[in-house]
Amino acid sequence: IAAIALAQQTWRKISAIKPLSDFRVHEDISAAGLGKMGRKDANGEYEIKKLADGYKGSTKAEERGSIFQISRVTLINDDLGVIADAIRDLGLSLGITLETEVWEYLISNPLMPNGKRLFSADHGNILPASEMNAKMWLDARAMMVRQKAFGGNDRAYLSMRPKLLCCPLDDFGTAKTLNGTVSAFTGGTTTNVATSGMLSEIIDTPYIDGVGSYFFDPLYPILNVGFLDGVELPQVYEHVDFKSADLQYRIMSDHGYGTRSPYGAVFAPAL
């Protein structure tokens, strides 16, 4: 089971973990906040504000699992311990599943309950297609800073900043240069790089090769990953078939994915 930790877990940096009580659709609402504080009126009373609803999200768990079967003869003849290693690494299957499917879900740009795509012009979180460069970074920063709480109550700015970048493999070197270089020597002159130190972490991943780059503020997760009863680890069961004496292992996980909020991320499509 512990082998789940061997898989890349970028999904944890951009998702909120949501416990689910059953297999039905679970809806949640991100509170819009109270906005600016009011002033006392002429009667010396404070303004009464209601907590407006924010974006609605939904998550539904599904039954997932596999059966790994080994014959008694194969197990006995396994001198090198290959089968034993495979059994120990069953948990890795869930880790790979979560990392792969969260990226597939994000790339699909799912519909939110408001009928709009997660990344859309209406949500103010998608840039024009561009190559990886300083202008793209600064545009993403400005777009995220301008994101406001949904609903009423003065639509306050959320004060978000990009701290995590997930980019295609081929853009990793450029991203590291943009983030780490105080000055760049170009054409015989030294130019300050405004993006230096803008991000806390850069992760390159093949899942988004040819798709684009995603800027995140991990304090504001945009997705939900839900687990039935909050059980995040895989459940592994062992069984010996009475007729064949074959050994069977069943690995199970009840989980699902859903949108949470369009705020806290900016998508920059590849050119």
Side-chain angles (χ1 to χ4, degrees):
I1 293 177
I4 187 176
L6 299 177
Q8 187 81 10
Q9 299 190 61
T10 310
W11 64 271
R12 288 187 178 274
K13 300 177 183 291
I14 62 176
S15 308
I17 307 300
K18 182 178 178 64
L20 306 175
S21 58
D22 51 44
F23 290 100
R24 291 176 293 183
V25 174
H26 289 250
E27 295 186 347
D28 58 7
I29 299 175
S30 301
L34 294 175
K36 295 185 297 184
M37 296 178 67
R39 291 184 172 89
K40 282 188 173 182
D41 60 20
N43 296 322
E45 297 178 349
Y46 289 109
E47 177 186 358
I48 297 176
K49 288 190 173 184
K50 294 182 179 180
L51 190 63
D53 287 344
Y55 269 102
K56 293 182 179 180
S58 62
T59 312
K60 182 180 182 296
E62 296 181 351
E63 294 181 287
R64 307 296 299 275
S66 301
I67 293 177
F68 178 48
Q69 182 166 322
I70 318 156
S71 72
R72 179 171 176 268
V73 172
T74 301
L75 190 59
I76 292 173
N77 292 342
D78 183 29
D79 294 337
L80 300 178
V82 175
I83 302 299
D85 290 341
I87 294 172
R88 284 195 297 269
D89 289 345
L90 283 173
L92 182 60
S93 175
L94 176 57
I96 293 172
T97 299
L98 291 168
E99 182 70 5
T100 302
E101 292 186 347
V102 168
W103 277 116
E104 290 174 347
Y105 184 69
L106 186 66
I107 292 169
S108 73
N109 200 13
L111 278 173
M112 299 193 68
N114 65 358
K116 298 175 182 178
R117 295 287 177 182
L118 176 61
F119 293 100
S120 66
D122 289 333
H123 291 152
N125 60 4
I126 186 169
L127 292 171
S130 169
E131 295 180 346
M132 176 74 69
N133 53 44
K135 182 180 185 304
M136 182 243 275
W137 279 40
L138 295 175
D139 287 347
R141 180 183 184 276
M143 181 169 280
M144 188 177 292
V145 171
R146 291 191 178 103
Q147 291 177 355
K148 291 184 174 183
F150 179 75
N153 299 331
D154 306 322
R155 295 290 312 279
Y157 291 109
L158 294 170
S159 300
M160 293 179 289
R161 300 290 189 280
K163 298 180 180 67
L164 167 66
L165 169 66
C166 293
C167 66
L169 296 179
D170 289 345
D171 288 334
F172 181 72
T174 303
K176 293 289 285 186
T177 299
L178 288 170
N179 197 54
T181 305
V182 176
S183 60
F185 189 75
T186 307
T189 60
T190 301
T191 306
N192 290 330
V193 178
T195 55
S196 176
M198 190 174 107
L199 303 172
S200 301
E201 187 175 9
I202 299 171
I203 298 176
D204 57 333
T205 173
Y207 292 110
I208 53 177
D209 281 349
V211 176
S213 298
Y214 294 85
F215 294 83
F216 298 102
D217 185 340
L219 294 177
Y220 294 85
I222 62 171
L223 300 179
N224 282 328
V225 177
F227 295 90
L228 186 66
D229 296 327
V231 179
E232 298 180 32
L233 292 176
Q235 304 163 60
V236 179
Y237 301 91
E238 181 181 287
H239 170 72
V240 178
D241 185 80
F242 183 78
K243 291 183 178 181
S244 66
D246 289 351
L247 189 61
Q248 294 181 336
Y249 287 91
R250 183 178 68 209
I251 179 171
M252 297 171 51
S253 174
D254 303 317
H255 64 270
Y257 317 107
T259 57
R260 180 179 178 87
S261 167
Y263 302 137
V266 170
F267 174 47
L271 191 62

